[in-house]
Amino acid sequence: MADALDVGGFEIKSAIIRSHDKEKENDIGALIASFDFKEGMFNQSMAGSIMISDSIGFVDSFPVRGEETIEILYRDFFDEEMTTTFRVFAVEQVDVDYQGKNQSYVLKLCSPDFIKSEHVEIKKSYRGLITDQIQEIFDEYFTETEKELDKEECENERVFVIPSMTPYRAINFLSRKAFSNENPSSNFYFFETRDKYVFKTHEQLYKDGHEQDADVVEKKTFTYQEGNVSFDDRILHMQNLISFNLQSRNNTLKSIKQGAMLSETVQIDLGLKTYEPSLYK
């Protein structure tokens, strides 16, 4: 009988935290109470958090300011050892026990490239295939790690002027304009995994996964229905809704406080020279 896998489980071998100037470093693996990180096609960059149980005052003596680098060596549930590097950007959820001897807190983590991207703005023009434009941005600004970009080629050539966008935002902007003949939905995603960065459509991701595992049983078939817009018009007029967020549909108490539930209007008919008051309460 095969051993059961502890899916999502891992063993931390070491967790080396380094100061921003790299003059200090320490292994805090023994202080970690829990550790999690996430990656996926809907998350542009990797992110995570570490809960620390600190009885030696490490957060103050090191000190941890929210600008450190942490390199975590761990063994995952496939018995493979991996090293992942994060940047610490916040210290949150601080809690001290009733004796004041032990404190717990959470170190918020993100990708080193994401931190760099947030304080860089691109103000320049790009010309040619959109795939090449994205590769140019990646080569210039994604230099904090040694990960490569696994990309799907686009067919359309365009000229874009990037007006003060971070590298992540610029790539997302270009991905919405990218077009693929082979995968007509042209629904491109840009995201980071533990191994690499990816710029591909969801159809291509599905094809790649199917090719990597020849034993996968075909369960779903993706189909595409040609739209009413011609091929050339689709390239020239590709537009996507960037975001939509409906925070609240109705709040009567809020409307009452703002006076919206009590209004008085007067309807005037200039032809008949009459007026009619209307009270809404």
Side-chain angles (χ1 to χ4, degrees):
M1 181 177 178
D3 296 334
L5 289 175
D6 180 16
V7 178
F10 50 84
E11 175 190 0
I12 296 178
K13 311 292 287 186
S14 66
I16 308 299
I17 187 169
R18 295 183 178 89
S19 60
H20 181 67
D21 56 13
K22 296 182 174 59
E23 292 185 359
K24 294 182 181 179
E25 69 174 49
N26 209 320
D27 187 351
I28 61 172
L31 303 179
I32 296 178
S34 65
F35 163 53
D36 69 85
F37 65 88
K38 59 182 179 180
E39 61 176 348
M41 61 189 297
F42 300 113
N43 299 311
Q44 293 182 81
S45 65
M46 291 184 59
S49 62
I50 295 177
M51 176 169 282
I52 300 293
S53 180
D54 185 1
S55 59
I56 59 176
F58 175 78
V59 67
D60 298 312
S61 61
F62 188 73
V64 181
R65 298 190 176 97
E67 53 188 36
E68 293 73 27
T69 301
I70 185 165
E71 185 178 279
I72 303 173
L73 171 62
Y74 62 94
R75 185 187 301 274
D76 64 16
F77 54 90
F78 290 115
D79 202 32
E80 296 181 357
E81 285 194 357
M82 298 196 69
T83 300
T84 304
T85 301
F86 291 99
R87 286 288 297 273
V88 179
F89 69 89
V91 183
E92 299 181 348
Q93 302 179 32
V94 180
D95 185 30
V96 183
D97 68 3
Y98 71 97
Q99 292 181 331
K101 296 181 179 180
N102 186 72
Q103 60 179 324
S104 63
Y105 46 88
V106 173
L107 303 181
K108 294 289 186 177
L109 314 174
C110 68
S111 167
D113 284 312
F114 185 76
I115 284 285
K116 180 180 178 180
S117 172
E118 288 303 289
H119 68 263
V120 174
E121 287 188 345
I122 299 177
K123 302 177 182 179
K124 62 184 296 186
S125 62
Y126 294 90
R127 181 187 302 271
L129 290 172
I130 292 182
T131 308
D132 297 337
Q133 297 179 34
I134 291 176
Q135 184 69 61
E136 184 178 344
I137 293 175
F138 182 84
D139 292 340
E140 183 174 356
Y141 297 103
F142 288 72
T143 57
E144 294 295 311
T145 64
E146 297 180 354
K147 297 178 181 178
E148 296 183 353
L149 176 62
D150 183 9
K151 60 183 182 295
E152 176 183 345
E153 296 297 330
C154 307
E155 275 76 21
N156 53 328
E157 296 188 23
R158 300 286 296 274
V159 177
F160 291 105
V161 178
I162 306 299
S164 299
M165 289 185 177
T166 66
Y168 271 96
R169 288 185 59 199
I171 290 179
N172 287 331
F173 168 75
L174 294 173
S175 68
R176 292 192 295 272
K177 305 298 181 180
F179 185 85
S180 170
N181 271 328
E182 186 174 350
N183 298 306
S185 78
S186 299
N187 194 15
F188 282 86
Y189 292 91
F190 174 72
F191 58 95
E192 179 189 11
T193 71
R194 287 180 290 177
D195 305 315
K196 58 187 177 182
Y197 284 88
V198 179
F199 173 71
K200 292 185 177 182
T201 59
H202 63 274
E203 294 106 322
Q204 190 60 47
L205 291 170
Y206 175 81
K207 294 174 184 176
D208 293 346
H210 194 73
E211 290 174 358
Q212 291 173 6
D213 192 346
D215 297 328
V216 172
V217 179
E218 185 73 27
K219 294 183 179 180
K220 294 184 179 180
T221 301
F222 292 95
T223 59
Y224 172 75
Q225 181 176 356
E226 190 68 32
N228 295 325
V229 183
S230 67
F231 173 83
D232 293 332
D233 287 341
R234 276 195 294 151
I235 295 179
L236 294 175
H237 300 96
M238 288 176 64
Q239 295 194 17
N240 296 72
L241 182 65
I242 296 175
S243 65
F244 177 77
N245 188 10
L246 187 62
Q247 293 286 347
S248 175
R249 296 191 64 87
N250 231 335
N251 190 321
T252 302
L253 287 176
K254 185 177 180 180
S255 299
I256 290 174
K257 292 178 180 178
Q258 295 176 344
M261 303 301 288
L262 175 61
S263 61
E264 183 176 2
T265 60
V266 177
Q267 183 176 347
I268 300 175
D269 191 326
L270 297 178
L272 299 177
K273 298 183 180 179
T274 61
Y275 70 93
E276 181 181 351
S278 176
L279 177 66
Y280 175 75
K281 185 176 182 180

